Each structure stands twice: as structure tokens, then as C-alpha cells.
Amino acid sequence: AQKVTQAQTEISVVEKEDVTLDCVYETRDTTYYLFWYKQPPSGELVFLIRRNSFDEQNEISGRYSWNFQKSTSSFNFTITASQVVDSAVYFCALSGSGSARQLTFGSGTQLTVLP
Amino acid sequence: DVKVTQSSRYLVKRTGEKVFLECVQDMDHENMFWYRQDPGLGLRLIYFSYDVKMKEKGDIPEGYSVSREKKERFSLILESASTNQTSMYLCASSLSRGPGNQPQHFGDGTRLSIL
């Protein structure tokens, strides 16, 4: 069985602070993919990044960066110089070898960025 | 851009009614999914389909059924609605083709209240 844990239920920061959202996963698959999604107050989940289990390179996209460490089964997400528009619920998810590559989601982290 | 359209944004029904939630995607995706989202629980997979007329149970299928008669449309059916099915319902679709596990694309969600 697969499992994704996002231990931080809610985080509140002041604008321009850096913030890291934690994600820890469990899987028996040797090939798997990790994802991050953002859900703003409007409700639609927006895809942010996909990472496969063979690629442990960190990735940076503008103010966003992701740190994948297989040794600790973690895939953490950092927002640098946070902005009010970053306020949202962020979900980490895992997919393995299922017939439709279905996702297992974490419970989400509510990020609030205060002006 | 992929467009996943859910028929209603808000829906109010009564206990015991048969409820239909409709989802249409316009990008020829093979896979389609239904999730429910509840506070503190993240997204939980109800049913998914990897082809027309094919369906598989997710993690919480009890009280639900699905129908996929055409590739672009995936319907979720609450056979006899109960108050514990009050929730946000999210539809998603993804490609089977292409390298790796493709990201899922989500609709805006249907907030369903059962009175």
C-alpha cells in the first residue's frame, strides 16, 4: 500500500519569508512518481511538478524549488520570498504501477501568507 | 490546455435521492477519476476508469457507482444519497500514453450537500 504524509496541517508566514512544505511517502514500487498540486481558494487543483523515482536532482522554477531525497523518502517543497498569492492548500501525491497510475494524496498543508 | 468540466459547482439534494455528477474532458485522455475531498483527509479516490466501459474501485467506493459510456465523459452516481456523502467531489483525467506517469488534470469541483 502507498501512503503520503504531510505532517504540517497549517502554516502561516509573513510575506517575503521562505517556507518549506514537508512530504514523506511510503511505497513498495521501485518505479514511482511524485507530484505537488496547489489548490487556491477557487478550488481547482493546479499541477506544479512531477518527479520520477530515478531522478533525485533538485528542481527550481522561479521562487519554487523541490528537494527529493530517496534516502529519507521525502519530497519537500520550498517557496522563496513568499507572496500573498501563494496562499493555498498544497498537496503532495504519489503514483506507482497501478492500472491507471492512480494517485495517493497526502492530507494537504494550508499555507497562509500574511501581508 | 486541458479542460475538465464538472456539470455543477454547487448541488443540494435530499437523503435517499439518486444523484448524478457529470464530468467531461476535452483532451482525449484515457484515464478518468473521481475523488472526494474532506477537511483533514485530503483527496480520496472513489472510482477510476482507464478505458470506455472499464471501471475500478478506488479506496472508498461504498455507496457510489460510475458510468463511462464515452471516452470523454465519466459520471459518478450516488445510488441513495446520505448525509455522510456531503463533500467536495473532484473529477480528474490523465493520459495513459507518453513517458512515465502523466499528471492528472482536475475540474473545479462540485460541492454537494445532502440534507
Side-chain angles (χ1 to χ4, degrees):
Chain A
Q2 299 183 142
K3 186 178 178 182
V4 177
T5 302
Q6 294 179 256
Q8 304 151 308
T9 307
E10 294 181 24
I11 301 176
S12 187
V13 299
V14 177
E15 210 170 17
K16 297 197 175 85
E17 284 185 17
D18 299 346
V19 58
T20 295
L21 310 182
D22 297 333
C23 173
V24 174
Y25 63 91
E26 297 174 31
T27 181
R28 290 189 183 142
D29 289 335
T30 52
T31 301
Y32 54 89
Y33 287 76
L34 294 160
F35 299 80
W36 276 94
Y37 284 85
K38 174 182 179 180
Q39 187 179 41
S42 57
E44 180 184 352
L45 268 82
V46 177
F47 164 69
L48 295 178
I49 189 171
R50 177 186 67 165
R51 172 68 70 209
N52 75 52
S53 51
F54 297 107
D55 183 0
E56 287 194 70
Q57 268 193 324
N58 290 338
E59 177 144 349
I60 298 174
S61 175
R63 296 184 296 106
Y64 294 172
S65 62
W66 290 269
N67 183 347
F68 175 33
Q69 292 197 344
K70 271 177 97 165
S71 59
T72 56
S73 296
S74 65
F75 185 44
N76 295 338
F77 173 29
T78 297
I79 302 174
T80 304
S82 59
Q83 299 176 2
V84 172
V85 293
D86 295 327
S87 297
V89 181
Y90 290 87
F91 290 97
C92 180
L94 167 70
S95 75
S97 54
S99 53
R101 309 294 190 263
Q102 55 267 34
L103 289 170
T104 299
F105 281 86
S107 55
T109 298
Q110 169 73 61
L111 173 66
T112 302
V113 181
L114 302 168
Chain B
D1 270 358
V2 177
K3 186 69 178 171
V4 179
T5 303
Q6 294 185 229
S7 53
S8 304
R9 198 68 200 270
Y10 300 93
L11 206 54
V12 180
K13 296 292 182 180
R14 297 216 169 266
T15 304
E17 280 192 65
K18 191 169 186 176
V19 181
F20 293 85
L21 302 183
E22 306 287 345
C23 176
V24 177
Q25 50 95 4
D26 66 358
M27 284 302 291
D28 200 34
H29 285 176
E30 293 84 7
N31 304 324
M32 296 190 75
F33 308 83
W34 274 107
Y35 296 88
R36 64 177 282 175
Q37 181 179 5
D38 300 288
L41 297 177
L43 277 74
R44 292 180 292 166
L45 183 62
I46 304 171
Y47 266 97
F48 63 96
S49 168
Y50 53 88
D51 202 351
V52 176
K53 297 194 187 294
M54 304 303 291
K55 58 186 179 184
E56 287 198 26
K57 294 178 180 179
D59 300 317
I60 51 164
E62 297 76 21
Y64 303 94
S65 62
V66 291
S67 172
R68 192 157 181 212
E69 297 296 319
K70 293 185 178 180
K71 190 174 186 179
E72 67 271 17
R73 185 179 296 271
F74 192 36
S75 303
L76 179 69
I77 304 155
L78 285 66
E79 297 290 345
S80 177
S82 64
T83 54
N84 63 12
Q85 292 177 310
T86 291
S87 187
M88 169 74 94
Y89 289 87
L90 290 159
C91 176
S93 70
S94 70
L95 271 174
S96 283
R97 309 180 297 275
N101 293 13
Q102 297 295 311
Q104 293 181 19
H105 299 268
F106 285 81
D108 289 341
T110 296
R111 191 166 291 283
L112 175 64
S113 296
I114 307 296
L115 305 178

